[in-house]
Amino acid sequence: MLQEESDLSLMIAQIVQKLKGSNLYSQLERQAWASLQRPEIKLESLKEDIKEFFKISGWEKKLQNAVYSELSVFPLPSHPAAPPEHLKEPLVYMRKAQGSWEKRILKSLNSMCTELSIPLARKRPVGEQKELLNKWNEMGTDEPDLSLFRPVYAPKDFLEVLINLRNPNYENGDSLSFRTHLGLIQVPLKVKDIPELKECFVELGLNTGQLGIDDSTQVPPELFENEHVRIGQKVLAEQDSAAAQQYIRQGSPTALRAELWALILNISSEPEDVLYYEQLKTNVIQHDLLVDSLIYKDVKLTASNDDYYFVFEDYLYQVLLCFSRDTSVLSHFAYNSASPPKSYIRGKLGLEEYAVFYPPNGVIPFHGFSMYVAPLCFLYHEPSKLYQIFREMYVRFFFRLHSISSHPSGIVSLCLLFETLLQTYLPQLFYHLREIGAQPLRISFKWMVRAFSGYLATDQLLLLWDRILGYNSLEILAVLAAAVFAFRAVNLMEVTSLAAAEAVLADLSTLKVMPLLQIFLFATVT
């Protein structure tokens, strides 16, 4: 009991400390000073009167949303004496694996730098700055020669690293025992089984109305949709993040989605946010980074060739180039197992006082990174708002998909959850695919790393991302990946090679997300 109280007080102190540096804090302070002029504020009951004023004027709700937003990314409680690296990742072997993976990425980046004789960063000449500013809204028309650039790594490279992960304290002999995990991921992490997932995703149940399902038996779909839209409008009028998060678990009406996501992520377009975006844009125009070419190359290889997203090419450049300069992203490394890469000013190698984070946001883009932004372009057409939403989505969710950690929403746990679900509930299919050399994870890994972006039809992807936001968890990605295999199980049992299995699962664009999830979770015999 005492431990719980001390944990709570520590959490409150940390959140207060974080909010003190925010824009909201200074706004609240200004409002409190201004309220002293009001006749209803009495000196003898000053504290209570100001609280009441905040409540009536809507500032209390804004504070609640800010606290709720902090809680959603707050690290899992740990021992008060635990060192800072424990907040990043409690397991030493995971930290070591992430550290050596980062060295590999950095080595790849540096060798490309040396091979091409290109500096990591340079100031653009004035003429080049003007040219970039003039074509800022049509960067997609630019065709720079990127043939010599290559992605620093692709998801399949990352998968090989995860396959080789081992816990040195865990006896893992060569002899196959009944308890040996037959999948590719060989680390002992706790993942949920179907009864636990049912409990976790209870709002997805067969008897609950869902957006994304056309044939609800209890209530005609149009009746449920009309009522759901009405409730959604009420949630937005209340401006309550927690209520919006609960509401969106049943899916978001298309017309309300942009506002609901912004409310859940606590994004409001204040003038200073637009100004901050403009500052990042100025940084892009003034300085050229090596990662800019990686971003160009990635957009050209992925989103530009996608039937849904090619029209957003210019938006993607704008958002990702600004993202690479945004030093506020560095704060998420406090709870991310990764650490931002460092570079040194020329001629000062090894001297810490001359070390700088590179890129400035600490995130080196990989093949497919731009697909995290592409679906958001359907919802937000104003660049600074689109940018803020993406940045918040990244520091809450997407970073977990390309860093090695033991977090339940981390990619290692998702891979293990996917393999465990298949092994437990579709053992024949799992064994068959394993025997023909088509380990299921080799096919599904790319879906999960990209959060299914670029694989599902956009309307279905947005329904899936509704649930990620609603449950503040990425576990649903692993459940959907297993559900896809279950859905195509009959065809997969016929295949005799990895290439044939990949062909069966090559096109997911016709799949409906919600029926698949419901059937797998709630209609599977457990």
Side-chain angles (χ1 to χ4, degrees):
M1 188 68 188
L2 282 170
Q3 179 63 41
E4 278 177 26
E5 282 177 20
S6 67
D7 283 353
L8 186 62
S9 57
L10 185 70
M11 193 186 285
I12 291 167
Q14 285 176 316
I15 288 175
V16 168
Q17 191 60 39
K18 192 103 183 276
L19 291 177
K20 271 188 176 175
S22 70
N23 183 40
L24 177 66
Y25 183 79
S26 51
Q27 287 178 320
L28 286 169
E29 211 167 29
R30 277 201 299 274
Q31 290 296 325
W33 279 109
S35 72
L36 296 177
Q37 315 298 327
R38 302 172 74 89
E40 65 267 28
I41 307 287
K42 306 281 189 294
L43 193 60
E44 56 273 17
S45 56
L46 187 66
K47 193 175 176 181
E48 297 309 315
D49 289 353
I50 289 179
K51 274 187 186 174
E52 189 58 33
F53 164 72
F54 279 161
K55 200 171 195 172
I56 294 163
S57 58
W59 284 99
E60 184 188 57
K61 190 73 78 177
K62 287 185 180 179
L63 179 60
Q64 274 178 5
N65 289 347
V67 171
Y68 193 70
S69 178
E70 289 298 329
L71 283 172
S72 65
V73 294
F74 205 77
L76 300 169
S78 63
H79 193 277
E85 62 264 26
H86 271 250
L87 287 178
K88 288 168 75 66
E89 169 53 54
L91 298 176
V92 177
Y93 75 94
M94 289 274 186
R95 287 207 298 273
K96 280 185 179 168
Q98 176 62 33
S100 59
W101 172 236
E102 283 165 17
K103 281 181 188 151
R104 266 181 67 183
I105 296 171
L106 211 50
K107 190 177 175 185
S108 172
L109 191 68
N110 285 329
S111 66
M112 192 173 1
C113 211
T114 312
E115 280 168 33
L116 305 178
S117 303
I118 293 173
L120 286 172
R122 69 176 179 93
K123 193 167 172 62
R124 296 183 202 270
V126 177
E128 195 182 318
Q129 288 186 29
K130 283 180 182 169
E131 191 188 339
L132 182 57
L133 189 57
N134 290 335
K135 64 177 186 193
W136 180 255
N137 291 318
E138 46 194 46
M139 283 191 275
T141 58
D142 202 15
E143 289 288 342
D145 178 22
L146 300 170
S147 54
L148 297 173
F149 288 92
R150 60 180 186 275
V152 178
Y153 68 95
K156 63 176 187 296
D157 307 319
F158 188 41
L159 176 59
E160 292 308 318
V161 174
L162 301 188
I163 290 170
N164 291 314
L165 259 183
R166 295 288 182 277
N167 181 347
N169 304 320
Y170 190 65
E171 168 51 29
N172 199 359
D174 293 333
S175 58
L176 278 175
S177 69
F178 178 70
R179 296 199 329 277
T180 304
H181 183 71
L182 298 172
L184 294 173
I185 302 296
Q186 295 286 333
V187 289
L189 294 177
K190 172 82 179 82
V191 292
K192 295 183 175 78
D193 58 14
I194 282 193
E196 287 170 314
L197 288 167
K198 278 182 182 173
E199 207 174 303
C200 178
F201 297 118
V202 67
E203 292 85 357
L204 305 185
L206 298 169
N207 298 323
T208 311
Q210 300 289 334
L211 286 188
I213 291 185
D214 305 325
D215 55 353
S216 173
T217 47
Q218 262 79 2
V219 185
E222 58 279 6
L223 272 185
F224 165 71
E225 277 175 36
N226 294 343
E227 178 63 9
H228 197 57
V229 169
R230 193 184 63 77
I231 297 167
Q233 287 163 338
K234 202 171 172 183
V235 166
L236 285 172
E238 284 292 314
Q239 282 296 295
D240 186 329
S241 290
Q245 193 171 21
Q246 180 63 40
Y247 168 82
I248 213 169
R249 291 177 178 189
Q250 289 171 267
S252 168
T254 307
L256 307 181
R257 183 174 279 122
E259 285 181 81
L260 283 165
W261 284 20
L263 178 55
I264 292 167
L265 297 168
N266 199 31
I267 299 294
S268 54
S269 285
E270 302 286 339
E272 51 268 35
D273 296 320
V274 179
L275 187 64
Y276 185 71
Y277 175 76
E278 288 300 322
Q279 285 174 339
L280 294 173
K281 177 179 165 181
T282 306
N283 282 346
V284 174
I285 285 159
Q286 288 177 349
H287 294 92
D288 179 24
L289 303 182
L290 172 66
V291 290
D292 295 355
S293 298
L294 298 178
I295 289 166
Y296 267 107
K297 180 98 175 185
D298 186 51
V299 173
K300 293 284 182 202
L301 287 175
T302 55
S304 298
N305 296 323
D306 191 287
D307 292 348
Y308 294 107
Y309 304 126
F310 72 94
V311 291
F312 300 124
E313 192 177 346
D314 297 327
Y315 274 156
L316 297 178
Y317 292 133
Q318 290 170 18
V319 167
L320 288 166
L321 291 172
C322 287
F323 181 68
S324 67
R325 270 74 170 177
D326 192 347
T327 52
S328 72
V329 176
L330 292 169
S331 61
H332 92 284
F333 286 105
Y335 53 86
N336 178 355
S337 63
S339 299
K342 279 183 183 175
S343 184
Y344 294 88
I345 290 165
R346 192 171 292 171
K348 306 287 185 183
L349 188 64
L351 297 173
E352 278 305 309
E353 61 268 33
Y354 293 101
V356 289
F357 292 125
Y358 183 88
N361 68 346
V363 181
I364 295 173
F366 58 91
H367 179 59
F369 192 83
S370 56
M371 297 306 280
Y372 291 146
V373 189
L376 302 173
C377 298
F378 276 101
L379 303 181
Y380 305 96
H381 310 300
E382 203 273 301
S384 71
K385 184 77 176 272
L386 168 64
Y387 175 73
Q388 287 181 74
I389 296 286
F390 164 65
R391 182 181 62 192
E392 194 60 29
M393 286 288 281
Y394 180 82
V395 300
R396 279 202 197 190
F397 303 111
F398 298 147
F399 77 89
R400 298 200 184 280
L401 296 174
H402 63 95
S403 49
I404 302 168
S405 81
S406 57
H407 192 279
S409 279
I411 190 67
V412 184
S413 294
L414 297 186
C415 291
L416 192 56
L417 175 58
F418 164 74
E419 289 195 324
T420 308
L421 287 173
L422 272 194
Q423 243 182 284
T424 312
Y425 300 103
L426 295 160
Q428 282 177 302
L429 174 64
F430 190 93
Y431 188 73
H432 168 68
L433 291 172
R434 186 175 175 275
E435 284 301 289
I436 62 165
Q439 277 279 10
L441 186 60
R442 291 204 182 273
I443 299 167
S444 68
F445 186 73
K446 57 185 181 289
W447 307 338
M448 294 191 285
V449 165
R450 279 201 201 170
F452 280 89
S453 177
Y455 295 105
L456 294 171
T458 307
D459 61 327
Q460 295 302 310
L461 182 75
L462 295 174
L463 286 165
L464 175 67
W465 285 15
D466 280 343
R467 273 68 181 195
I468 289 175
L469 281 158
Y471 290 99
N472 196 37
S473 164
L474 292 164
E475 288 166 305
I476 202 153
L477 297 176
V479 179
L480 179 60
V484 171
F485 272 79
F487 181 63
R488 298 262 165 94
V490 175
N491 304 67
L492 288 169
M493 286 301 285
E494 304 294 318
V495 301
T496 54
S497 67
L498 174 61
E502 282 177 331
V504 168
L505 295 162
D507 181 15
L508 308 186
S509 61
T510 55
L511 298 182
K512 301 284 184 215
V513 164
M514 288 317 300
L516 281 181
L517 286 170
Q518 281 196 327
I519 290 165
F520 189 77
L521 281 176
F522 296 94
T524 303
V525 179
T526 57

